[in-house]
Amino acid sequence: MLVRNRKTQTYLALLLFFFALLIPLQSYAAQNSQQQISTRAVKTGWVQTGEKWKYVNTDGSYPKNTWKYLYSTWYYFGEDGWMVTGWKEINEETYYLRPSGAMVVGWVKLEGKYYYFNPSGVLQKNGWVDNDKYYVDENGVWIEDKTKDEDTESDKAEWVQFGKRWKFREADGSYAKGGWKNFGGSWYYFDANGWMAVGWLETSGNWYYLDPKVGNMQRGWKKINDSWYYLNPGSGELVTGWNVIGGSWYYLDPGSGEMAEGWTQIKNEWYYLKPDSGVMLENWQKIDGAWYYLNPGSGTRAQGWKKIGSTWYYLDVTNGQRQKGWTKVNNAWYYLNDNGIMAEGWMQQDTHWYYLKPGNGSMAIGWQNIGGTWYYLDGAGVMVTGWHYIGNHWYYMTGSGAMATNWLKLNNNWYYVGSNGAMVTGWQDIADKRYYFYDSGVMAASTKIDGIEIDADGVAQIVSGPLGSLTRLLRTAMLPVGNTLYVWGGGHDLYIGGDSLRIGVNPQWKKFYDRHGSNYDFSKYRYSYGNGLDCSGFIGWTIYNTYNTKANQSAYVTTSTKFPSHLAEKGLGTYKKVSGGTFTPGDVVAIDGHVWMVIGMCSDGSVVIVHATPPMIQISGTVTPSGSNNSEAVQLAQAYMKKYFSDAANKFNLCIASKGYLNGVRRFQWYSSKLTDPDGLRNMSAEQVLAKIIGPK
């Protein structure tokens, strides 16, 4: 081998000094880059699969397409994460990795040939190596018999220092200038005057970082002045914006390239980059004592309502913090438990119950039908119990909050709240019986109201039927029979409190009846209101009580002659003049000066009627169509009067209705929709109807 002169040895020593610096600097950069990876509690180290090896980082990821410095040795991992062995081209440089994966440095014999790799592991080609003692060809193979003359060594390339600045002199004596130069596998930049650049460098629109002392171009992660930067591992260009590095996302400031940390806003979206490592976090994260949700894949901070799996959460729209407890959103209240999960359905807090709408979560207020049961929740969402005045009605909520319906017993008092839950007052027809409820809602019992006796069970002793039914019509007509006298104009008192607008029997009618005997002269008591009824007053009162449960509503009374047409004009049925024919129960029939109601027909064509005719209200029978007084109707009427209304039958003469009640009359018949017939009375004979509404003969 050739002997070097002193000057050459000095320059070579200096050059080797700078190359020697490269390895610890690279190692330092690599080690520092590893420190930025999130340190989770995972098992790190080498992992073998078959004959292949991977390395697990502290964050659980695998290094890919990168160098890694492990146990004082450099290893390279491919795009699939497997450790590389053998020859490898990386960024247009050639390396050799031993079967152990260790990067080769210095001389190595491969397949009978010698190769030389510089301290950075780069295969040297087409020049003198190892202090210019040996020559390698374009493939890096040592040419054994090639030597260098001593006289030519003074013309070799070398670094030249001027004070604290460096230049590189080429073998021809010129200096490298105006661009990039690669020496010993590392890149350097020289300005137009040949000075080696150090630190940050901008050229061709890109930024680079050159070691402040050695000047070689840096790659990968680099901490500069307490900030981290990432330099393209191949080109060395400063990387900016979003980038995936080592399987994780990082954000590098578009202007400076500085790695972002902590909360960072980018294009109106917020992200959290883990401090010290810069890794973009995803999913649930607890940051400074508060929970946030960072959308998987994008890392954007969620805000507002967020459904994760099958569970809803609410994240503050200003700062993204997960909410808990009562939270108002768009004028609706929601409850989020300690884990932020939106509550649904019934929820108890302290002694109060709330209902959070399923699927929606908003707090319910007002009336709510839940599982077929009605509940009421006040303005604060609290389920109420007991009596409550809502929408002009009283309602009772049981201990479970369920709205009570129908009959209700409280403190030994009975109330009726109906199917709609509203407490009733006044006269009420319930299940074909009549009851009276005070303003307090308490059912009256064992008393008399409006002259009507009420038994211990609260049932008014007034026979009734379903509201608006034929049964109710005929049973109501029976109430004043045999105890109410005929009074001219009685029942025509169309004023508040008048008999025409009265619910139930006026007790004064019976008192007036009791004061008179068989010599009663109705002509002396014209328009003696409140003491009895005339024919049209009786029919009007009967119809009023058939359709109303409250007093002082619209009256039905008109003159006797006009009554049939009057009802037809109200749209209740049909009206026509007839001579004979068939009469049905409930028909309202009139002649000039008189009106009555049909109870039913008999087989001989006679008709049983009820009417107010001097001297009293009574059941009468008509003659047969041929004029016989011994008709079935007459016999029935008198039998019922004597059995059920014996006092009147004994005190007064009973009326026999003439043929004028059958021929040339004005007949009104009800629409079945306006007067229902639940008991089928229209298909019964007079005797059957009487048995149904009064009792057996």
Side-chain angles (χ1 to χ4, degrees), residues 148-165:
K148 227 180 193 185
D149 292 334
E150 179 86 20
D151 295 337
T152 64
E153 290 198 0
S154 61
D155 298 327
K156 72 179 184 68
E158 60 186 351
W159 287 98
V160 182
Q161 185 175 18
F162 297 90
K164 294 184 178 181
R165 304 180 71 184

Side-chain angles (χ1 to χ4, degrees), residues 489-679:
H492 290 251
D493 45 349
L494 301 176
Y495 58 88
I496 299 215
D499 286 340
S500 63
L501 302 174
R502 173 181 294 276
I503 294 294
V505 174
N506 187 346
Q508 181 60 30
W509 299 347
K510 181 66 165 58
K511 292 179 181 179
F512 187 75
Y513 170 89
D514 290 338
R515 292 204 307 263
H516 293 85
S518 59
N519 60 347
Y520 170 67
D521 185 359
F522 73 90
S523 63
K524 296 180 180 180
Y525 297 96
R526 290 175 176 259
Y527 304 109
S528 181
Y529 296 126
N531 287 321
L533 301 169
D534 68 6
C535 62
S536 56
F538 166 65
I539 298 297
W541 173 87
T542 300
I543 295 175
Y544 184 86
N545 278 261
T546 300
Y547 285 98
N548 294 278
T549 59
K550 293 184 179 180
N552 304 319
Q553 306 296 310
S554 180
Y556 292 88
V557 175
T558 186
T559 62
S560 58
T561 306
K562 295 181 179 180
F563 229 115
S565 61
H566 174 67
L567 295 178
E569 289 169 0
K570 285 182 172 290
L572 300 176
T574 61
Y575 155 72
K576 66 185 298 185
K577 293 182 179 180
V578 299
S579 291
T582 301
F583 296 90
T584 57
D587 287 356
V588 177
V589 187
I591 57 177
D592 290 342
H594 192 48
V595 62
W596 61 90
M597 185 175 293
V598 174
I599 294 176
M601 287 194 71
C602 298
S603 61
D604 63 358
S606 60
V607 180
V608 178
I609 66 172
V610 60
H611 58 154
T613 186
M616 63 179 176
I617 300 175
Q618 59 183 290
I619 301 171
S620 298
T622 73
V623 299
T624 64
S626 62
S628 174
N629 287 345
N630 191 32
S631 68
E632 294 178 20
V634 171
Q635 294 179 38
L636 271 172
Q638 293 185 357
Y640 269 87
M641 287 297 297
K642 291 176 182 179
K643 180 175 182 178
Y644 290 97
F645 313 101
S646 59
D647 183 79
N650 294 327
K651 186 184 294 186
F652 300 107
N653 293 323
L654 299 177
C655 171
I656 296 177
S658 68
K659 290 176 64 176
Y661 282 76
L662 301 175
N663 300 312
V665 297
R666 301 173 179 88
R667 183 188 67 189
F668 168 81
Q669 291 187 307
W670 299 89
Y671 290 136
S672 59
S673 61
K674 299 297 184 180
L675 189 71
T676 63
D677 186 17
D679 296 311

Side-chain angles (χ1 to χ4, degrees), residues 232-284:
N232 189 296
S235 66
E237 296 173 358
L238 176 69
V239 178
T240 61
W242 284 109
N243 282 271
V244 177
I245 304 170
S248 297
W249 281 97
Y250 298 81
Y251 187 75
L252 305 139
D253 187 272
S256 66
E258 183 178 351
M259 181 189 78
E261 300 179 59
W263 286 112
T264 302
Q265 187 177 25
I266 305 167
K267 295 182 179 180
N268 298 321
E269 295 284 0
W270 283 94
Y271 304 81
Y272 191 77
L273 296 309
K274 191 173 182 179
D276 299 327
S277 76
V279 173
M280 182 192 79
L281 298 183
E282 303 174 63
N283 299 307
W284 285 113

Side-chain angles (χ1 to χ4, degrees), residues 110-156:
L110 301 170
E111 297 180 346
K113 299 176 181 179
Y114 287 90
Y115 300 85
Y116 184 78
F117 299 84
N118 72 7
S120 297
V122 178
L123 175 67
Q124 303 301 286
K125 302 176 183 178
N126 205 28
W128 294 96
V129 301
D130 196 6
N131 295 322
D132 289 342
K133 295 185 291 184
Y134 308 96
Y135 187 84
V136 292
D137 64 13
E138 67 272 18
N139 298 315
V141 178
W142 173 46
I143 307 302
E144 189 175 354
D145 57 353
K146 188 174 179 75
T147 60
K148 227 180 193 185
D149 292 334
E150 179 86 20
D151 295 337
T152 64
E153 290 198 0
S154 61
D155 298 327
K156 72 179 184 68

Side-chain angles (χ1 to χ4, degrees), residues 342-346 355-362 370:
M342 182 189 78
E344 300 179 61
W346 285 110
Y355 189 73
L356 296 312
K357 297 177 182 178
N360 176 300
S362 61
I370 304 169

Side-chain angles (χ1 to χ4, degrees), residues 387-398:
W387 286 109
H388 283 270
Y389 193 69
I390 306 166
N392 298 321
H393 293 285
W394 283 97
Y395 298 84
Y396 187 81
M397 314 301 171
T398 65

